[in-house]
Amino acid sequence: DFQIALRFHVAAFYKKLWDSLDLDTLDNQPLADELFDVMVNMGTGRAVRFLQEALNALNRNQTLWPDLKVDGDFGPITRKLFREQRAEYVTIEKIVVILRGAFYLEILRKTPAQETFIRGWLKRVTVG
């Protein structure tokens, strides 16, 4: 049946996204959900860039760790640092949400015709 096959492929697609950041291993469901929603809405690279920016914002001017290259690659350095920051997951989520909202506003500055979408986009900009 086509509907069953379609559901299977859609589920497999979303599972692959979820697994690309090992979100099953996070002990903070709101952060996992936020990163997943950014991946679905804006792409995996954008979600990882937001995560890298959040980690850079928390490094106390590079006294805790050097700035990450904000390249959207969930490579071994980003992955390790992300896992080591469990105590900061609530703060990381807040930063990702802020970056997401700022990104939507930047879209509007560049392309005012996109204003028709802002109310729907902002429904995605919530913490918790």
Side-chain angles (χ1 to χ4, degrees):
D1 176 62
F2 175 75
Q3 292 294 332
I4 293 171
L6 181 61
R7 278 189 223 124
F8 173 78
H9 287 293
V10 169
F13 171 79
Y14 286 124
K15 177 72 170 133
K16 184 177 178 181
L17 279 181
W18 184 267
D19 290 345
S20 68
L21 297 186
D22 300 325
L23 296 177
D24 279 338
T25 65
L26 290 186
D27 58 0
N28 183 299
Q29 192 63 49
L31 176 57
D33 293 344
E34 179 64 27
L35 289 170
F36 179 71
D37 196 54
V38 172
M39 286 191 290
V40 169
N41 185 241
M42 300 178 172
T44 302
R46 176 76 52 205
V48 174
R49 283 192 290 278
F50 288 170
L51 173 61
Q52 289 166 330
E53 287 188 56
L55 291 168
N56 287 347
L58 296 173
N59 71 5
R60 298 188 191 268
N61 295 335
Q62 300 189 65
T63 60
L64 298 177
W65 59 82
D67 277 344
L68 295 167
K69 182 177 179 185
V70 180
D71 59 5
D73 179 24
F74 195 59
I77 296 170
T78 299
R79 183 180 307 266
K80 179 181 183 296
L81 188 56
F82 180 42
R83 298 296 173 223
E84 291 173 351
Q85 301 312 309
R86 282 185 160 72
E88 296 285 1
Y89 280 175
V90 170
T91 305
I92 290 169
E93 179 197 359
K94 288 178 184 178
I95 294 170
V96 169
V97 169
I98 290 165
L99 290 169
R100 184 181 209 180
F103 184 78
Y104 291 139
L105 293 174
E106 183 62 25
I107 290 171
L108 296 185
R109 278 192 287 278
K110 290 180 179 177
T111 315
Q114 298 291 316
E115 286 180 7
T116 189
F117 301 112
I118 192 63
R119 285 170 184 79
W121 291 343
L122 291 179
K123 289 179 183 176
R124 299 180 108 100
V125 182
T126 61
V127 176

